[in-house]
Amino acid sequence: NYLHVAQVYGRTISKINVDSGEIVEKFSYSEPNNHVMFPDDLVFGPDGKMYYTDPAYYQTVFMRYAPDGPSVPLLPVGSVPYANPVTLSEDGNRLFYAQCWNVQDDNSLFELDLETSEVKLILKDIYGCASNAMVYKDNALFTPRPFEGRVVKIDLKSSPPQVTNVTTGMVAPNAVKFNSKHELFVVDDGAGEVTLVNLTADDTDVNRNVVARFPPRSIDNLAFDQDDRLFISSTAEASVTEVLSDGQLRIISSEGMSMAMGLAGIEVDGTRKLYTLHPGALYEIDLNNDAKLSTIVRSAVSLGPMNEPTSIAVWGHDLILMSFTSNSLMIWDLELESSKLLLDFAAPTDAHPFNGDLLVTESSMGRIVRVSPTDSFRAHEVVVEAPG
């Protein structure tokens, strides 16, 4: 039994032996002909070919990888910005994909006919996320809507496609899968719960039972093997966990960091700690305790509590979290574990205190700006600007 795990921050698709936890094969950007950059979601066709989405800084490309050949693009690079999930019909001829995490009313859901290469728009103008980790069954798509706290069924037989609720009242559902018994399971990242849905119940607010619990905002996706064993992936913990029949958890890949983006150090009363992060988690390294690594904040993309940070700096006893993807800078209170301030900056990538003020690089503008705490860092004084 093997799992294929797409690691968007690790820039790798890993083939894992679920019994030993051993990674037996990798598809990564460093290997010739694979063209894997930031793999986000994947699905296998009945012919053994693997299809995956690769956001590549939101200029998404859809790739097909055959066991005997290189990855090849199915659509022009960047033709569907913010595309995230991918799934196939049972016969492997219809590929479905959707836009997600563009926090606007222009996320859409599409179908690609793999025989004719014809693209068809299924739904459009969906706020925040048209789908994230959806599944096809009986000419319908079952898909989570994390910004709406529900899972919906999209009937592809009707015109226009009919959308109905499957389960509602969740915090931030972001993945669904059926097992071989046709039972539907949902990952609610916001609540840290994996639930089994009763598809025949009338009240969609109470039609699910919790089968496993994790820390909130720590889990991403789920998969079943050929024996219906259930596995859950976590970006925050960089792990894959099996949910046993009694609800107990068995970690099959060791916990750690998916990616380290930036480094900041703080010393208070002789206690030395380092901090690093990626858009989904903030990590603490205790230098007074054998460099023990702890995940201290877990964050769902576009849903918080952090701002999808990509770099980090120190401001007094607080942290500065910068995000070039969300064009923002956040002052993070370590003691309260919450945001003090969230400000707009143009793709900030670095920051340094200077004479009581703060210098910030705005990479998309090609400049360094100086901001002051006296006006809550809002007035930008340009210090250096690149010519041209």
Side-chain angles (χ1 to χ4, degrees):
N1 280 338
Y2 297 99
L3 285 179
H4 285 77
V5 181
Q7 301 157 254
V8 67
Y9 300 140
R11 303 179 72 178
T12 303
I13 296 174
S14 300
K15 182 179 180 180
I16 301 176
N17 183 314
V18 297
D19 295 315
S20 67
E22 178 187 3
I23 297 176
V24 298
E25 191 174 4
K26 287 184 177 181
F27 307 87
S28 71
Y29 68 97
S30 61
E31 298 175 15
N33 298 323
N34 282 339
H35 308 299
V36 172
M37 288 295 290
F38 299 94
D40 196 291
D41 196 17
L42 60 86
V43 65
F44 280 89
D47 57 0
K49 293 179 180 177
M50 178 175 65
Y51 299 82
Y52 64 93
T53 53
D54 200 316
Y57 296 109
Y58 303 108
Q59 299 301 310
T60 307
V61 60
F62 294 90
M63 305 295 287
R64 176 172 57 205
Y65 178 84
D68 57 350
S71 296
V72 294
L74 299 178
L75 293 172
V77 175
S79 60
V80 190
Y82 294 94
N84 187 301
V86 60
T87 194
L88 285 168
S89 57
E90 287 98 339
D91 59 11
N93 293 328
R94 304 166 69 189
L95 182 142
F96 301 90
Y97 57 96
Q99 294 169 298
C100 190
W101 308 122
N102 181 19
V103 192
Q104 304 293 335
D105 289 327
D106 59 0
N107 293 270
S108 300
L109 178 66
F110 303 90
E111 175 183 341
L112 171 64
D113 188 313
L114 294 176
E115 294 184 328
T116 65
S117 297
E118 179 185 358
V119 174
K120 181 170 72 174
L121 176 66
I122 299 175
L123 293 174
K124 64 178 182 178
D125 299 331
I126 302 168
Y127 175 78
C129 185
S131 177
N132 186 54
M134 59 188 171
V135 66
Y136 177 95
K137 183 176 176 59
D138 299 332
N139 209 12
L141 291 171
F142 291 77
T143 174
R145 295 276 182 87
F147 284 86
E148 301 169 23
R150 61 176 179 152
V151 174
V152 300
K153 176 183 177 181
I154 303 169
D155 186 352
L156 301 175
K157 299 187 296 295
S158 61
S159 182
Q162 183 180 3
V163 179
T164 56
N165 286 330
V166 174
T167 188
T168 52
M170 309 184 85
V171 180
N174 61 349
V176 296
K177 286 288 192 309
F178 284 94
N179 63 9
S180 67
K181 301 174 185 176
H182 310 292
E183 297 172 322
L184 181 67
F185 289 75
V186 180
V187 164
D188 186 346
D189 179 37
E193 295 178 345
V194 183
T195 59
L196 170 62
V197 179
N198 182 348
L199 295 174
T200 61
D202 293 327
D203 190 342
T204 58
D205 275 338
V206 292
N207 66 338
R208 57 189 178 273
N209 294 317
V210 176
V211 299
R213 297 185 189 275
F214 294 80
R217 300 181 300 275
S218 70
I219 49 179
D220 303 292
N221 212 328
L222 72 163
F224 291 96
D225 70 359
Q226 60 187 10
D227 299 319
D228 267 349
R229 290 193 293 174
L230 173 59
F231 299 92
I232 307 296
S233 64
S234 168
T235 296
E237 264 68 42
S239 65
V240 176
T241 301
E242 180 182 1
V243 178
L244 303 177
S245 58
D246 61 358
Q248 297 297 306
L249 306 178
R250 180 180 76 91
I251 297 174
I252 68 169
S253 68
S254 58
E255 296 179 308
M257 289 187 295
S258 301
M259 174 184 278
M261 304 178 75
L263 188 66
I266 295 179
E267 183 172 350
V268 179
D269 298 329
T271 300
R272 299 176 301 149
K273 293 181 178 179
L274 295 176
Y275 297 90
T276 187
L277 48 67
H278 61 63
L282 174 63
Y283 303 98
E284 180 182 85
I285 303 167
D286 190 343
L287 298 180
N288 290 39
N289 188 16
D290 297 324
K292 179 183 178 182
L293 175 70
S294 303
T295 306
I296 60 172
V297 181
R298 300 168 179 88
S299 188
V301 175
S302 297
L303 295 169
M306 296 193 299
N307 60 331
E308 303 172 47
T310 51
S311 55
I312 187 171
V314 173
W315 180 260
H317 291 167
D318 298 326
L319 295 175
I320 301 170
L321 311 183
M322 292 153 282
S323 174
F324 68 78
T325 56
S326 66
N327 293 299
S328 65
L329 181 150
M330 176 179 283
I331 306 296
W332 185 265
D333 189 316
L334 280 168
E335 185 177 351
L336 298 178
E337 297 184 353
S338 63
S339 170
K340 282 185 173 180
L341 199 62
L342 179 63
L343 301 165
D344 293 331
F345 280 81
T349 53
D350 202 3
H352 287 278
F354 177 75
N355 290 346
D357 293 339
L358 186 67
L359 298 176
V360 182
T361 59
E362 292 188 299
S363 58
S364 65
M365 302 293 289
R367 68 187 187 184
I368 299 172
V369 298
R370 182 174 181 172
V371 294
S372 173
T374 58
D375 66 350
S376 299
F377 304 101
R378 297 187 186 281
H380 292 197
E381 174 194 345
V382 178
V383 177
V384 178
E385 191 161 18

